[in-house]
Amino acid sequence: MSGPGLPVTASLPAGAVVIGIDAALTKTGYAVLRAAGRGERPKLVEGGLIRTDATETLADRVAAIGTAVLELVEQYDPAAVAIEGLFAHPKHPGPAIQMAHARGAILYVLAAAGRPPREFAPRAMKQLLTGSGRATKAQIQFAIQAELGLDKPLEPDDVADAAALALCGIYHPRPNTPVS
């Protein structure tokens, strides 16, 4: 199976587990996918949210994200982990700073576990999944739904974005390299 921008075969062997993580301080989305053999679709094993409470200290929130990611890595023993590269809008730097806190916890856990992430810039992720670096959320949702053979789009968006990242982790040909 292959979506509009996806290659025909995966860069990982069938059965390999890939975790996609959409980092955020309040709601970090994650998706666990299993790579498929030729002519088969990757399988969604699990998806969900790591939530933190805004009333907690920043240190407690960062620690909670790190602990939850460590539990995922220990439970699934992934061949790869894919995360979104840090991006910022010059007029709104706050979300990037919050995302950086979550990414820091995630990157630390992955480094300590010997699982360097595959990082994907938003445009590169869109390009790989749809063939266009300017794809809309709806186009990305359609590509995820088609590639995973789902009856309906993944919700919430944080989980869908994590699944998109995991698909990129499966199909990107060079392991553990930033993709911009």
Side-chain angles (χ1 to χ4, degrees):
M1 294 282 121
S2 176
L6 297 173
V8 176
T9 59
S11 67
L12 294 173
V17 170
V18 175
I19 299 175
I21 301 174
D22 181 38
L25 191 55
T26 303
K27 293 186 309 183
T28 291
Y30 70 89
V32 180
L33 301 184
R34 189 169 306 282
R38 188 178 265 305
E40 298 175 346
R41 300 176 196 271
K43 181 182 180 207
L44 176 66
V45 176
E46 178 184 344
L49 294 173
I50 301 166
R51 294 180 185 268
T52 65
D53 186 340
T55 64
E56 295 177 331
T57 68
L58 177 60
D60 287 341
R61 295 172 79 184
V62 169
I65 292 167
T67 298
V69 170
L70 179 58
E71 289 171 2
L72 286 170
V73 169
E74 288 174 343
Q75 179 178 354
Y76 289 105
D77 190 27
V81 179
I83 66 172
E84 188 171 46
L86 186 61
F87 64 94
H89 191 283
K91 292 183 181 181
H92 308 285
I97 293 168
Q98 290 187 351
M99 180 185 187
H101 289 304
R103 278 177 44 89
I106 293 163
L107 293 173
Y108 173 79
V109 166
L110 295 177
R115 301 289 199 294
R118 296 179 182 192
E119 295 185 56
F120 294 90
R123 288 185 91 160
M125 179 181 67
K126 292 175 182 182
Q127 178 72 35
L128 184 59
L129 291 175
T130 68
S132 170
R134 295 180 181 227
T136 65
K137 281 269 191 198
Q139 290 170 318
I140 292 170
Q141 276 280 17
F142 179 78
I144 296 164
Q145 186 177 351
E147 188 63 15
L148 296 177
L150 303 174
D151 294 333
K152 60 182 183 173
L154 277 176
E155 294 180 357
D157 284 343
D158 312 279
V159 175
D161 290 349
L165 289 160
L167 283 170
C168 290
I170 288 173
Y171 289 113
H172 188 261
R174 293 181 314 202
N176 304 324
T177 55
V179 181
S180 46

